[in-house]
Amino acid sequence: MTEAQEQSRVSAPQTSALERGRAYCAKHHPHLEKALSAQYDARVPGFSESLIEWAYGRHYSRSGLDARTRQLATLAALTALGGQTGPQLRINIEHSLAVGCSEEEIIEIIWQMAVYGGLPAAINGLNVALDVFSSAQRDGVAAAD
């Protein structure tokens, strides 16, 4: 099954956004909902389910863009927003690697944002990316390069 066919299957209109989000995450980020639940649900009941439904069920699972392109767009936006997005940028760099983006693509997307978000934002993004790559290498996780 091609990526586009998989996207269509995942975003089928007869399924709920929560089901589509869970299907997307099962394929690309299988531990995400459990991690979100452990971190937030005790203080913000339903947080993990809401995020999976909204972000992944209503946005990431849409047809029109493949997972790699959506992740690269996410990295660009988070980088341009600046240093306060470091934790989200870190997770989304990991997600970008998980859907097949290369380290080179990630670095280039972040560096491109120096034009739009400013050099400090790009430097902060590069530092996060380099740290993620080093951690992945230390942990024996292969990059897509």
Side-chain angles (χ1 to χ4, degrees):
M1 183 176 284
T2 69
E3 175 94 23
Q5 290 168 327
E6 180 66 20
Q7 282 283 30
S8 293
R9 187 190 67 72
V10 170
S11 57
Q14 67 274 17
T15 59
S16 73
L18 181 58
E19 291 169 322
R20 289 190 307 271
R22 284 182 170 151
Y24 182 94
C25 288
K27 179 178 179 185
H28 298 295
H29 320 299
H31 305 293
L32 180 62
E33 188 170 5
K34 184 177 180 180
L36 289 168
S37 180
Q39 180 72 18
Y40 300 108
D41 282 356
R43 297 277 181 151
V44 185
F47 176 91
S48 60
E49 200 170 85
S50 294
L51 190 138
I52 297 298
E53 176 183 8
W54 187 74
Y56 294 95
R58 297 188 186 276
H59 295 277
Y60 280 90
S61 64
R62 291 173 53 91
S63 60
L65 293 175
D66 64 301
R68 293 176 74 259
T69 304
R70 285 193 192 280
Q71 278 303 144
L72 291 171
T74 301
L75 297 184
L78 289 170
T79 299
L81 285 169
Q84 76 275 10
T85 65
Q88 293 79 24
L89 185 58
R90 173 179 302 285
I91 292 296
N92 279 280
I93 290 170
E94 291 169 358
H95 287 184
S96 296
L97 292 169
V99 298
C101 296
S102 70
E103 290 183 3
E104 181 181 11
E105 289 172 313
I106 291 167
I107 292 293
E108 287 300 321
I109 286 293
I110 291 171
W111 182 239
Q112 181 68 23
M113 292 305 101
V115 176
Y116 302 98
L119 196 54
I123 290 169
N124 289 340
L126 289 170
N127 286 333
V128 172
L130 295 172
D131 187 53
V132 169
F133 301 156
S134 292
S135 294
Q137 187 177 38
R138 239 186 347 266
D139 297 341
V141 178
D145 282 330

